[in-house]
Amino acid sequence: MKARLFVWLGGATFVGSLAFCGWSYLVTWSAPFGRGSLDGWLAVAADAALFSVFAMHHSVLARERVKTRLARSIPEPLLRSVYVWIASVLLILVCAIWRPVGGEIYRATGGRALAHAAVQLAGLWLIALSVRAIDPLELAGIRDPVVRTSTTLQITGPYRWVRHPLYLGWMLAVFGAPHMTGDRLAFAVISSIYLILAVPWEEQSLRRSVGEEYAAYARAVRWRIIPFVY
């Protein structure tokens, strides 16, 4: 009973962290207040360092070797939930402690604003399709992750276009804002750089766990995140 409560509270915290991140992006970081150029760059450096703590958790704790070691002290059914708990708390801290960058890059109006909104909606739609394909309850740590075998490797839907459509959807959503402030741009660039750097490491783990099937999938779907680019 306590274990299930821990798991469900972790899932709720995961949803709450995403909601808080969305609020920060849409509301808190919408203010184009002025700052000196040096102050702005120092803020970007501080925010990048802060985000790197969140990123290191994602990259390190997701490795099979680390999970094997953690399983010695944490019951295996709770491993995913512990990972989600830590990631959720760190994301909340990133948004709460974020150092304001300031400045305004552009403010689109009219038809251009509608085009930007369409890009963001396309990104959210792609994220929803990708999450649905990999099981939202597993992503939130509520359901135990399945073992990736030839029957569970996702190669349908948006996974036929790029190998990491969730990341593509994220980039469209964060870069597509019709009103781009310095904080929104900094968050978009920092988070996207992490995704680009993390993909090769993530795919190494997939190749080890899935084997030749993932190699064949990578040959069939050439692009990792951005079609015809990367």
Side-chain angles (χ1 to χ4, degrees), residues 129-184:
L129 285 182
S130 304
V131 169
R132 186 177 65 178
I134 61 178
D135 189 348
L137 291 180
E138 178 185 327
L139 190 65
I142 296 173
R143 179 177 294 147
D144 291 338
V146 296
V147 177
R148 298 298 175 193
T149 66
S150 59
T151 60
T152 58
L153 181 64
Q154 294 298 334
I155 57 176
T156 60
Y159 291 87
R160 294 176 298 176
W161 311 330
V162 292
R163 303 203 293 272
H164 301 272
L166 181 60
Y167 298 167
L168 174 58
W170 173 267
M171 291 181 183
L172 291 174
V174 294
F175 279 108
H179 177 209
M180 184 63 74
T181 63
D183 288 279
R184 286 176 173 172

Side-chain angles (χ1 to χ4, degrees), residues 43-115:
V44 170
D47 294 333
L50 178 64
F51 192 89
S52 68
V53 177
F54 169 78
M56 285 298 293
H57 160 73
H58 270 266
S59 297
V60 174
L61 266 69
R63 304 282 74 81
E64 290 298 329
R65 193 183 327 175
V66 176
K67 288 191 288 187
T68 300
R69 292 180 180 176
L70 289 175
R72 298 171 186 170
S73 55
I74 300 173
E76 189 170 351
L78 296 181
L79 274 176
R80 175 65 185 175
S81 184
V82 169
Y83 174 88
V84 169
W85 263 106
I86 297 174
S88 301
V89 170
L90 286 176
L91 182 58
I92 290 172
L93 288 175
V94 166
C95 297
I97 307 176
W98 183 270
R99 184 171 174 181
V101 176
E104 182 176 82
I105 312 304
Y106 61 79
R107 184 188 291 267
T109 58
R112 185 183 165 196
L114 292 176

Side-chain angles (χ1 to χ4, degrees), residues 183-206:
D183 288 279
R184 286 176 173 172
L185 181 61
F187 182 75
V189 171
I190 292 170
S191 61
S192 296
I193 287 175
Y194 161 67
L195 294 178
I196 291 171
L197 294 178
V199 160
W201 202 2
E202 181 179 330
E203 291 195 338
Q204 284 181 3
S205 296
L206 286 169

